[in-house]
Amino acid sequence: MSTLSLHQIRKQFGDVVAVHEMNLHVNHGEFLCILGPSGCGKSTALRMIAGFEEPTAGDIRIDDRSIGMLPPNKRPTAMVFQKYTLWPHMRVYENIAFGLRLHGFSRKDIDEKVKGALELVGLPAYGKRFPSQLSGGEQQRIALARALVLQPKILLLDEPFSNLDALLRVRLREELRRIQRQVNITAIFVTHDQEEALSLADRIAVMNKGRIEQLDHPSRIYEQPQTLFVADFIGVMNLLPAHQDGGEIIIGSYRMPVPSGNEYSGDVTLAVRPEDLAIVPSGSDAAWNGQVEHVIDLGHYRKVLVRTEHMGVLKVYLPKAVDVREATTLALQPTRYTIFRDHQTPIEVHAGSVPQLSLQGMA
Amino acid sequence: MTASQTEPAPHSKSRFSTVLPYLLVAPPILMVFGLIFFPALQSTLRTLTDAETGAFSLARYEMFFADKTSVTSLIFTIQIALESLLGLFVICFPLALYLRFNTSRIATGVQMISLLPMFVPGIMSAYALIRFVRGRGLFETLIYQVSPLLADAYYSPYVKPEGIVIGLIWEAIPFTVLILLAGLRQLDNGLIESAQDIGANRWYIFTRIILPLMRRSILIAFCLNFISMFGAYTIPYLLGPAAPQTMGVLMQRTLQDYQQPLEAETQAVITFLICSLVGLVYVQSVSGERVRKG
């Protein structure tokens, strides 16, 4: 069992607070992604766990044992870095064996473990090569083998695939997940790529300005964002400034009901996913009318930009069967939306049955 | 005019671009040949020729190696150069490591101080060192203020081999720190952190990661400093003993004091050959590294 807990971890560089009192618990065998934009403090948090940064305050515990005072070489963690950090003067075999030698393993054990690690990452015949003879993807796999061969309690990954091309990234992330499950290791993966986080993680911690804004399962992060930042950062979202007057939301000339018990008066933000906007027959009550400005073909679906009078440009996802052309007038109605007051306190609204236009009618 | 007349011929343009780099490097190459290689070749040939018959002869070299003073000077010079290099690396490596991994204001100040000797002419620094280290000099006076007993035990390196070593180290510190620091700055932090991450302590990081990756910078610093120290004149002349002498001082004395230009020429050729050999090792290693990197 290897669990990791961060208790009130804070990191300050001069006057700048990189990480505000952060609390996090990662279960054994869990794959946790820390997701956030550049400069949000996610790498700093990871580097504090690895021991490369000293927390200004707080405690880090692995299996309920404090490791805050231990130097990086004494911590039961191993890290895969963003850049390819294989030592260029050592062959692949030596790169992987180096840590084992430092830990006093016998020659026979080292040989067995290195071969096992190379097989685990799918590169069994690469031991004699130098890092300069490997592609970026192969180098990161070797870096992963080097980290795993020591059987650390926690595996830390700092945007390991960000220097690779998109196709390779997808392949390697699948492989990483397979390996993590195979060795049943607790892993923390830092990324700014939401697709990467959504496809890899058991849970995601979305960070912004040094704080965890939401810690949840990927589907809940997407479907039920708890803050306006998460709503905006994860996936594509239409954020519409609106006004709430008691039990009603007012956007321009449109009025929408708010579930009872959520009465409020003031400015709010309406968040609607593009896939939650349905095309309704023109002339429908409460339909948002607009003109198709641009149609982007994204393979299996279309992204349509619709210019409305009071809400600016709305993003709408439509199946390819719906034949929408530029300059066509569309009537839209949200099937589901979230109302945010003060960037937080979300109120999720399911609009119920919306009289959607049949696809055959549009085609 | 037709189109073919107005446009310059692509053939002549490409020929000019081919020749241009050679034209640009021609003046320095001609200067090196005219001022270094040609005189060196002339001297080498003269030392290999019998002055009376004009036939090939190794007599001058036999004479050099039969002469105890010359051989002692050669060994002494090699010894001084190696000792100075050892001292230089012992001082400069920790200094460069400190400057590479420290970003404080103190580190900036230390770097400025370490570069200071670069801006002091050799003769001035030699006289400054004499005033500092000689008997009853500034250093001994300072020690005397602390304890007269300590001052009595003071061993002045002035006009001793140690004096030359101190002088040569002092002169070479800025250049060596710059080379080592440039090499260290090329090392990605990730390479060091990944070693730390898998359990390496500072010693292992230094010996197994930093030193092997710094091989090229170390070799550059070693070769260039060896050549400069081997041929040094001012510091050994002003700070060194009357005997044994370094090759630079010996050459000057043989030429000026003993009026033996041919013997001085032989000493110069031997010095030149040893320095060329070190230069060759450096060139071969650098070109070998380029080939390995593709």
Side-chain angles (χ1 to χ4, degrees), chain B residues 10 15 37 51 59 70 79 88 92 118 143-144 147 151 169 178 190 202-203 229 258-259 274 276 293:
Chain B
R15 187 178 290 173
F37 281 106
S70 303
Q79 199 181 327
L88 190 64
C92 292
M118 201 156 64
I143 293 174
Y144 188 81
S147 156
I169 289 174
L178 281 179
R202 285 181 183 186
W203 173 248
M229 286 168 173
Y258 312 137
Q259 297 285 313
I274 290 171
S276 303
K293 283 183 179 172

Side-chain angles (χ1 to χ4, degrees), chain B residues 222-267:
Chain B
F222 177 86
C223 292
L224 299 184
N225 276 317
F226 181 89
I227 292 167
S228 139
M229 286 168 173
F230 198 85
Y233 173 73
T234 312
I235 295 277
Y237 181 73
L238 293 173
L239 286 162
Q245 297 162 337
T246 61
M247 289 300 281
V249 179
L250 179 73
M251 266 184 269
Q252 195 273 341
R253 291 223 165 121
T254 311
L255 184 73
Q256 296 284 330
D257 300 349
Y258 312 137
Q259 297 285 313
Q260 293 173 323
L262 283 173
E263 278 71 15
E265 207 163 36
T266 311
Q267 293 158 6

Side-chain angles (χ1 to χ4, degrees), chain B residues 37-51 54-58 60-61 262 265-266 269 272-273:
Chain B
F37 281 106
F38 183 64
L41 188 71
Q42 260 190 326
S43 289
T44 311
L45 288 175
R46 254 199 309 270
T47 59
L48 291 168
T49 314
D50 190 293
F56 173 79
S57 164
L58 288 172
R60 293 198 185 285
Y61 293 93
L262 283 173
E265 207 163 36
T266 311
V269 170
F272 180 74
L273 283 176

Side-chain angles (χ1 to χ4, degrees), chain A residues 47 52 73 78-79 81 83 85-89 98-99 102-103 146 150, chain B residues 188 190-201 204 208-209 212-213:
Chain A
R47 289 174 63 80
F52 297 123
N73 55 329
M79 188 150 160
F81 294 79
K83 289 181 190 168
T85 53
L86 297 182
W87 303 300
H89 60 292
F98 184 57
L102 292 174
H103 286 83
R146 184 176 67 182
L150 291 165
Chain B
D188 192 288
L191 294 173
I192 292 152
E193 285 179 348
S194 53
Q196 236 178 326
D197 191 52
I198 61 161
N201 58 24
Y204 275 110
R208 303 292 303 275
I209 308 292
L213 291 174

Side-chain angles (χ1 to χ4, degrees), chain A residues 66-333:
Chain A
S66 178
I67 57 154
M69 300 306 285
L70 295 178
N73 55 329
K74 304 270 185 218
R75 294 193 183 197
T77 57
M79 188 150 160
V80 179
F81 294 79
Q82 185 177 358
K83 289 181 190 168
Y84 317 132
T85 53
L86 297 182
W87 303 300
H89 60 292
M90 292 185 198
R91 290 178 195 275
V92 165
Y93 185 98
E94 285 303 314
N95 261 281
I96 302 172
F98 184 57
L100 295 167
R101 289 218 171 91
L102 292 174
H103 286 83
F105 282 89
S106 70
R107 190 172 284 191
K108 192 179 158 229
D109 284 350
I110 290 172
D111 199 50
E112 265 174 30
K113 281 176 185 286
V114 172
K115 281 177 182 163
L118 283 170
E119 263 169 36
L120 185 70
V121 297
L123 300 170
Y126 280 56
K128 285 182 180 168
R129 297 195 188 184
F130 278 103
S132 58
Q133 295 169 308
L134 307 179
S135 68
E138 287 165 349
Q139 288 197 46
Q140 281 306 54
R141 281 195 225 177
I142 299 299
L144 183 63
R146 184 176 67 182
L148 287 172
V149 79
L150 291 165
Q151 296 178 313
K153 289 188 172 179
I154 312 285
L155 177 67
L156 307 169
L157 302 111
D158 188 6
E159 306 200 42
F161 306 141
S162 61
N163 289 336
L164 308 175
D165 63 66
L167 257 175
L168 193 60
R169 245 188 347 241
V170 174
R171 256 183 52 202
L172 279 183
R173 84 168 71 125
E174 285 164 5
E175 206 165 320
L176 172 67
R177 196 67 170 110
R178 174 188 65 77
I179 292 167
Q180 185 265 336
R181 283 195 178 123
Q182 195 177 325
V183 296
N184 194 25
I185 191 173
T186 310
I188 300 174
F189 188 103
V190 158
T191 181
H192 63 267
D193 183 339
Q194 45 168 299
E195 195 192 320
E196 206 161 65
L198 290 168
S199 60
L200 270 173
D202 292 321
R203 280 193 305 158
I204 297 173
V206 184
M207 274 189 82
N208 181 35
K209 293 178 183 166
R211 287 192 169 87
I212 293 180
E213 295 245 347
Q214 190 171 350
L215 174 64
D216 224 323
H217 299 286
S219 58
R220 280 177 61 88
I221 292 266
Y222 185 82
E223 283 161 18
Q224 294 168 306
Q226 294 300 299
T227 67
L228 193 59
F229 171 80
V230 178
D232 189 25
F233 189 71
I234 304 289
V236 180
M237 187 70 93
N238 291 296
L239 294 174
L240 312 169
H243 185 79
Q244 187 174 345
D245 187 10
E248 224 174 21
I249 296 279
I250 304 160
I251 312 178
S253 60
Y254 305 113
R255 285 170 179 272
M256 299 156 75
V258 174
S260 59
N262 293 298
E263 286 76 16
Y264 167 78
S265 284
D267 290 336
V268 293
T269 304
L270 208 68
V272 191
R273 294 262 180 227
E275 64 269 25
D276 291 334
L277 278 168
I279 300 175
V280 293
S282 55
S284 302
D285 287 346
W288 301 348
N289 297 311
Q291 200 171 44
V292 175
E293 199 172 73
H294 193 46
V295 180
I296 305 158
D297 205 327
L298 293 169
H300 59 291
Y301 69 99
R302 285 199 181 96
K303 183 177 174 182
V304 181
L305 304 181
V306 182
R307 180 166 290 282
T308 60
E309 195 184 341
H310 299 292
M311 289 171 277
V313 176
L314 294 176
K315 289 163 236 149
V316 186
Y317 289 160
L318 292 176
K320 285 198 87 172
V322 182
D323 185 20
V324 179
R325 310 254 164 105
E326 280 171 21
T328 316
T329 303
L330 286 183
L332 302 166
Q333 202 169 327

